[in-house]
Amino acid sequence: MKVTEHINNAKGKTLFSFEIIPPKKGNSIQELYNNINPLMEFKPPFIDVTTSREQYVYIEKGEGLLDRKITRMRPGTVGICAALKHKYNVDTVPHVLCGGFTKEETEYLLVDCHYLGIDNVMALRGDAMNHQKYFKASKGGHQYAIQLVEQIQNLNQGKYLHDVIEADDKADFCIGVAGYPEKHIEAPSIQSDLKRLKEKVDAGADYVVTQMFFDNKKYFEFINIARAAGITVPIIPGIKPIAIKRHLQLLPQVFKIDLPQDLIHAVELCKDNKQVRQVGVEWAIQQSKELQNAGVPVIHFYSMGKSDNIKAIAKELF
Ligand code: FAD
């Protein structure tokens, strides 16, 4: 079922969802199941599975020489989506990236999703590769997420890339895209970022999931300006509980977001990461309660590995 159908069926009740990262290749999927199992009692209607970009690895060749190879450390997004759908009877949302994929590869991936009965995809540009300063489209790939949205919409209308087939079983993907309450790092202003978001929605995106934020005011302001800009689709807040002290530096650096002074202060007072994890849980509960009271359609949790903190939050809310 589509994410938007789940939202409509909930009739105003806030739903619980979360996203997971595929394990590093060579690891068993069981660890993933062990983290997901405790969250299933909160009945997530859908689970997102991220896609990570390829990266360069350097292999010793001897005599001081290194061989540079390109590899994907966490492949398997669509396979994991299929496995979760089958195991838990839950809808899954694979993240589809511009970066690292040709348009043809994207088409094949979408065809796989269609065969597997996956009804939703999240269309994202992806970040620059580690060695790059700026995002650069892969040869034969897309530069912006909007082009991915357009490709998926074309597929929904039976239009494949090279138009050599007549489609008699059209896909009907529900498309999610990313939104940034504190602006995307590369956008010159929040207004211009919103204009880009509106373009993605006009191209066919059905809903938006936000980047993490720690101050609900930022989300509520974002909703106001997005609605004023004519974006009417559901905007799902993304919440991440802080888990380690280093997040105080890492999260602002990686995601270009601000942390509220009260949260920084509470984390700084912690003696160890166990205490930080508890502070993260309490902060996320507070944030989520306010969002729930404001009637948000879904609260989407960035789980990233161990799920005990997400379970502690969900127990208070769902
Ligand atoms: P876009 O919408 O393409 O926007 C990128 C930038 O370009 C923005 O600054 C925008 O304002 C600007 N822009 C857009 N269109 C144009 C245009 N036509 N001309 C000029 N400028 C333009 N990353 C991963 O690698 N894997 C994941 O699984 C993943 N999941 C995510 C899930 C969520 C909910 C979010 C919020 C982010 C996720 N990301 C993921 C990170 C995301 O890939 C990065 O934030 C990336 O830098 C931007 O992606 P986007 O889809 O927002 O890009």
Side-chain angles (χ1 to χ4, degrees):
M1 202 193 282
K2 294 181 176 188
V3 166
T4 46
E5 288 172 325
H6 284 296
I7 292 173
N8 289 340
N9 291 348
K11 297 192 169 42
K13 188 173 156 258
T14 301
L15 301 169
F16 163 73
S17 82
F18 60 92
E19 81 176 34
I20 52 116
I21 303 172
K24 278 202 178 136
K25 63 185 170 192
N27 290 319
S28 149
I29 197 171
Q30 189 55 47
E31 197 188 324
L32 204 58
Y33 293 156
N34 293 345
N35 281 318
I36 292 175
N37 287 340
L39 300 180
M40 293 315 288
E41 67 176 279
F42 307 107
K43 304 204 171 8
F46 61 93
I47 300 172
D48 277 51
V49 183
T50 64
T51 293
S52 24
R53 281 212 67 172
E54 75 282 31
Q55 62 186 78
Y56 282 114
V57 289
Y58 295 87
I59 298 159
E60 293 262 7
K61 277 176 72 179
E63 298 178 2
L65 294 173
L66 293 173
D67 210 1
R68 189 170 84 155
K69 298 278 181 207
I70 198 153
T71 188
R72 215 170 267 281
M73 298 306 279
R74 296 173 183 271
T77 298
V78 172
I80 292 171
C81 282
L84 299 186
K85 194 168 157 57
H86 176 72
K87 183 174 168 67
Y88 298 108
N89 192 22
V90 67
D91 279 301
T92 46
V93 187
H95 289 193
V96 182
L97 298 186
C98 300
F101 294 89
T102 64
K103 294 169 198 165
E104 285 76 10
E105 284 165 340
T106 297
E107 182 168 285
Y108 308 146
L109 186 150
L110 292 168
V111 168
D112 283 344
C113 290
H114 183 42
Y115 287 148
L116 289 163
I118 291 169
D119 296 325
N120 304 279
V121 288
M122 188 74 191
L124 299 147
R125 189 195 69 179
D127 285 319
M129 286 174 76
N130 283 348
H131 68 286
Q132 291 173 329
K133 213 155 180 195
Y134 303 104
F135 178 88
K136 197 165 162 259
S138 306
K139 198 162 174 264
H142 296 299
Q143 176 67 31
Y144 294 113
I146 187 175
Q147 295 159 336
L148 206 46
V149 174
E150 286 163 352
Q151 182 178 359
I152 302 164
Q153 269 302 352
N154 279 339
L155 214 106
N156 281 350
Q157 285 153 34
K159 285 190 221 149
Y160 287 74
L161 280 176
H162 304 305
D163 244 0
V164 286
I165 51 145
E166 278 285 311
D168 63 0
D169 177 25
K170 288 184 194 148
D172 186 17
F173 291 112
C174 173
I175 308 169
V177 289
Y180 302 84
E182 296 178 62
K183 179 182 99 57
H184 183 259
I185 174 178
E186 295 159 32
S189 71
I190 185 90
Q191 293 304 339
S192 103
D193 206 22
L194 261 179
K195 186 168 161 264
R196 300 303 180 191
L197 180 59
K198 170 87 164 51
E199 286 167 2
K200 289 193 280 191
V201 173
D202 290 345
D206 298 289
Y207 69 99
V208 177
V209 182
T210 76
Q211 183 57 278
M212 65 184 75
F213 56 89
F214 292 87
D215 178 352
N216 286 351
K217 246 189 4 214
K218 302 261 166 80
Y219 171 80
F220 294 130
E221 281 166 15
F222 182 64
I223 293 289
N224 286 341
I225 55 174
R227 298 301 182 224
I231 298 169
T232 55
V233 298
I235 301 179
I236 298 173
I239 295 291
K240 174 179 170 52
I242 279 210
I244 51 172
K245 224 169 203 174
R246 229 162 77 75
H247 277 158
L248 289 189
Q249 285 77 42
L250 263 178
L251 300 179
Q253 190 192 352
V254 176
F255 301 107
K256 293 293 170 283
I257 49 163
D258 280 346
L259 300 179
Q261 197 51 45
D262 286 353
L263 176 59
I264 299 171
H265 185 62
V267 171
E268 280 174 348
L269 287 178
C270 293
K271 291 199 182 68
D272 52 34
N273 279 335
K274 194 166 165 231
Q275 287 185 6
V276 176
R277 219 169 162 77
Q278 189 51 33
V279 166
V281 165
E282 284 163 17
W283 190 272
I285 290 174
Q286 213 183 74
Q287 265 195 290
S288 304
K289 279 190 174 160
E290 193 183 12
L291 291 166
Q292 203 176 35
N293 289 337
V296 300
V298 183
I299 304 180
H300 187 71
F301 291 93
Y302 294 106
S303 89
M304 297 179 187
K306 299 237 174 314
S307 62
D308 58 301
N309 52 356
I310 308 293
K311 177 168 178 162
I313 300 159
K315 244 169 93 175
E316 295 291 320
L317 288 139
F318 299 99

